[in-house]
Amino acid sequence: VRLLAAVLLAALLAGCSTSVTTEEQIPSAVRADLKVVAVQVAVQDDVDAPKDLAPRLEAAVREAIAARKRNGASAVRLELRVTDFRIANRVARLAVGPFAGNDRLAVDVSVIDAAKGAEIGRFTVERRALGGRLAALMNRAQATIEATAEGVADGLFGTGKG
């Protein structure tokens, strides 16, 4: 039973990746003492996304940040811009599995000094998941949002929970 569960989990996770690309490094002294005071999410006009994507991503980012248990003195605001979003059709996923294409979410993140209003860091988080037929049975949109939110926390604090 454990082996079967492990195989099923591996099949669900096959082809999943979250990458964080730093464009402007957050100064290390600031990174060590961060406190996120606001999270704003906007969806780029040319992105075909559900209306509730922005609030769902905002909530997931807040949760991922809270899990890091960081409450420093350097107040920052996060401005996220969704630049790509796609969740493969459930019927297509059931019919052809991984050939239905990647589920993906890409977000540009600006880290703003809350006191000065100046950008102090910038990075991009890209989540891609290529699930098989079994993936059609899970809430892939929420799983993609949560994995992207973890990527935002990784880009902000470094990898690993506090």
Side-chain angles (χ1 to χ4, degrees), residues 21-37:
T21 305
T22 301
E23 297 164 28
E24 182 182 339
Q25 186 70 39
I26 300 167
S28 58
V30 174
R31 181 185 294 255
D33 198 33
L34 282 178
K35 176 181 183 177
V36 177
V37 296

Side-chain angles (χ1 to χ4, degrees), residues 133-150:
R133 287 186 175 104
L134 290 175
L137 304 175
M138 62 186 281
N139 185 340
R140 295 180 341 274
Q142 189 60 33
T144 301
I145 289 167
E146 290 171 4
T148 302
E150 286 295 328

Side-chain angles (χ1 to χ4, degrees), residues 65-149:
I65 289 169
R68 304 297 170 108
K69 297 182 172 83
R70 304 281 179 92
N71 200 17
S74 298
V76 297
R77 184 176 78 241
L78 300 182
E79 295 179 358
L80 286 71
R81 184 171 48 93
V82 175
T83 59
D84 189 20
F85 180 78
R86 179 186 185 276
I87 299 297
N89 179 286
R90 185 178 299 263
V91 173
R93 180 70 68 204
L94 277 169
V96 297
F99 298 106
N102 279 331
D103 295 335
R104 60 184 183 263
L105 177 54
V107 180
D108 291 338
V109 181
S110 293
V111 182
I112 310 296
D113 181 310
K116 298 176 184 171
E119 183 178 76
I120 59 169
R122 185 174 56 250
F123 56 93
T124 299
V125 177
E126 293 183 81
R127 171 66 178 178
R128 294 190 180 278
L130 183 61
R133 287 186 175 104
L134 290 175
L137 304 175
M138 62 186 281
N139 185 340
R140 295 180 341 274
Q142 189 60 33
T144 301
I145 289 167
E146 290 171 4
T148 302

